[in-house]
Amino acid sequence: VGTHPDMVKLVANRVHTLLQENGLDPQDTALALVGHGTRRHVDSCRATLDLAVALEAMAVCADVVPAFLDQPPEVGTVLDNLTRKPFVLVIPFLIADGSHTTQDVPARLGMTPPSGVEPPFRQRVGDRQIVYDRATGEDPGLVSLIGALAEEVP
């Protein structure tokens, strides 16, 4: 699912929505696309990296940076090393709003998720405003993408 060509459009649409809802200028905003990754398999990061390249080519934000939970570049380095933009959209490129999305990624970014609040939410970390979104797998548009994949199977 993560490598389907329509995933680029799905995530780009989500970025556009988040920018509009939060009154952000794409030129002042970075997109951090956070995948799981693993050091045990060299291509575990491929879908996230390819998606980041495609979104960067579309210029959805001034910076588009991939980051990972379990391999470099690690999500904890986003604010210090990967971008200096004042606004950062964080989209977990994960299948569901499990503990990685709700706890691990925000903690590694120095965020404290508000109690009882579902993503997206906005929070200041140091001199940055972060808009933290739900997992990509929670996007309602994923259903039609999965349907398209099913139709491709002979």
Side-chain angles (χ1 to χ4, degrees):
V1 173
T3 60
H4 193 281
D6 288 346
M7 183 61 75
V8 175
K9 186 167 75 172
L10 184 130
V11 175
N13 287 341
R14 184 65 186 156
V15 169
H16 180 72
T17 298
L18 290 168
L19 290 168
Q20 281 190 322
E21 288 176 351
N22 289 278
L24 300 178
D25 180 345
Q27 295 307 308
D28 293 328
T29 306
L31 169 63
L33 190 65
V34 181
H36 193 285
T38 180
R39 296 175 198 272
R40 292 176 288 181
H41 191 280
V42 69
D43 280 336
S44 69
C45 61
R46 182 59 40 215
T48 304
L49 293 173
D50 289 349
L51 180 58
V53 167
L55 292 167
E56 185 175 43
M58 294 172 70
V60 296
C61 288
D63 295 336
V64 178
V65 295
F68 300 94
L69 284 162
D70 290 343
Q71 72 179 68
E74 294 182 6
V75 67
T77 67
V78 168
L79 299 180
D80 293 333
N81 301 329
L82 299 179
T83 185
R84 291 300 312 153
K85 292 298 177 188
F87 303 99
V88 181
L89 297 180
V90 178
I91 297 183
F93 189 48
L94 301 168
I95 197 65
D97 282 338
S99 62
H100 285 323
T101 302
T102 61
Q103 298 168 23
D104 300 339
V105 174
R108 292 183 193 185
L109 290 168
M111 302 178 79
T112 305
S115 181
V117 176
E118 297 289 322
F121 58 85
R122 189 169 173 160
Q123 193 171 98
R124 179 171 288 284
V125 175
D127 61 347
R128 314 288 188 80
Q129 279 288 329
I130 299 177
V131 176
Y132 187 83
D133 199 23
R134 64 183 183 241
T136 304
E138 300 286 338
D139 192 301
L142 197 63
V143 173
S144 61
L145 197 148
I146 292 170
L149 277 172
E151 290 175 8
E152 294 173 12
V153 176

